[in-house]
Amino acid sequence: MTERHRPGYAGTGPGSIAPDGCAVDLYRRLPVRDEPEIIAAAAPPPGRLLELGCGAGRVTRSLVALGYDVTAVDESAAMLAAVTDGATKVQSPIESLVLPGTFDVVVLASFLVHAPDPAVRQGLLGTCRKYVEFDGTVLIQREGAGWHDKVPRQNPIGDDGLAKIVASTDLGDGVHEVRSEYVFPDATWTQTFLSRPLTVEQFERALRDAGLFVERYLNPEGTWVAASPLN
């Protein structure tokens, strides 16, 4: 099953393809990297954690294992069907999410803050602000400096796969079309998506506009950020 793609997004390969062009079977295969450790160091468990854009649960299962009470949100029914037991699963676009209560930790990973439409970006950040406790933490993953300039590039996936950024094409008005490939001996997937690069100043301004401010950058590359609500 392929769910209806958003304009400008596409994907190919075996299995279901989500609206953003991500392949469910691919995301079930991708290894966990350092995301759980970064999250736990910035906002230690236990606590109520809202994971926005959880995908197939690649990081979710580790967050549950660390002791968080996880609510995992994704717009794709096929992605959510792959999410581990132990998390509360909610199918919804992030921008229009409706939930009771607030959370100690809100996570917006996968570079979602780089949505091409500024109104969508502000909707994502508005949801982060709406659902974080007044003394809670919002953790955001952003692109690194020069991410769209260092193309083509590739990185290994486990023992037998390659993740390739094939091209990043400037479409004008600050938006790039990114084409990626994920190559394994038994399968190949592609994804095309849109991204709006943000300078540090633009990123921090967008957070302030949503009622958040940067507490600190969590790694040397500045790709993980801890933010808090403005008073």
Side-chain angles (χ1 to χ4, degrees):
M1 177 184 69
T2 297
E3 299 170 289
R4 184 184 298 274
H5 287 149
R6 302 177 201 157
Y9 293 72
T12 65
S16 300
I17 306 294
D20 61 357
C22 292
V24 177
D25 288 352
L26 167 64
Y27 273 72
R28 293 179 67 178
R29 182 181 294 207
L30 293 179
V32 180
R33 298 188 295 273
D34 58 356
E35 299 96 337
E37 289 77 15
I38 290 173
I39 292 167
R48 298 185 68 231
L49 185 147
L50 178 62
E51 185 187 6
L52 300 172
C54 64
R58 183 180 60 85
V59 176
T60 312
R61 63 182 65 91
S62 294
L63 297 175
V64 170
L66 285 169
Y68 293 105
D69 177 5
V70 179
T71 296
V73 177
D74 205 276
E75 66 177 332
S76 167
M79 284 289 191
L80 277 177
V83 174
T84 183
D85 291 337
T88 300
K89 300 190 284 186
V90 178
Q91 183 186 356
S92 172
I94 296 170
E95 311 94 288
S96 56
L97 180 65
V98 177
L99 291 174
T102 53
F103 296 79
D104 303 297
V105 188
V106 177
V107 177
L108 184 71
S110 301
F111 312 112
L112 295 177
V113 73
H114 292 276
D117 184 343
V120 171
R121 181 186 65 220
Q122 288 309 105
L124 300 174
L125 293 173
T127 294
C128 292
R129 176 63 183 88
K130 178 179 179 180
Y131 287 109
V132 69
E133 287 275 6
F134 73 94
D135 59 350
T137 302
V138 177
L139 300 174
I140 300 169
Q141 187 181 27
R142 59 185 293 270
E143 294 173 352
W147 192 87
H148 292 272
D149 301 325
K150 301 170 184 176
V151 177
R153 65 179 183 273
Q154 65 183 37
N155 293 295
I157 305 174
D159 296 327
D160 60 353
L162 281 177
K164 303 178 181 181
I165 300 298
V166 178
S168 178
T169 304
D170 188 347
L171 300 182
D173 192 32
V175 176
H176 286 231
E177 179 187 76
V178 181
R179 291 189 290 115
S180 59
E181 295 179 357
Y182 301 86
V183 181
F184 293 84
D186 61 332
T188 296
W189 289 273
T190 71
Q191 182 188 12
T192 300
F193 60 95
L194 303 179
S195 175
R196 181 179 292 274
L198 299 170
T199 65
V200 170
E201 292 77 14
Q202 290 169 332
F203 170 73
E204 293 187 355
R205 186 183 312 119
L207 264 64
R208 289 195 299 272
D209 289 345
L212 299 165
F213 71 97
V214 172
E215 284 275 8
R216 61 195 186 281
Y217 290 85
L218 300 175
N219 58 352
E221 300 79 18
T223 56
W224 276 96
V225 181
S228 297
L230 289 165
N231 293 331

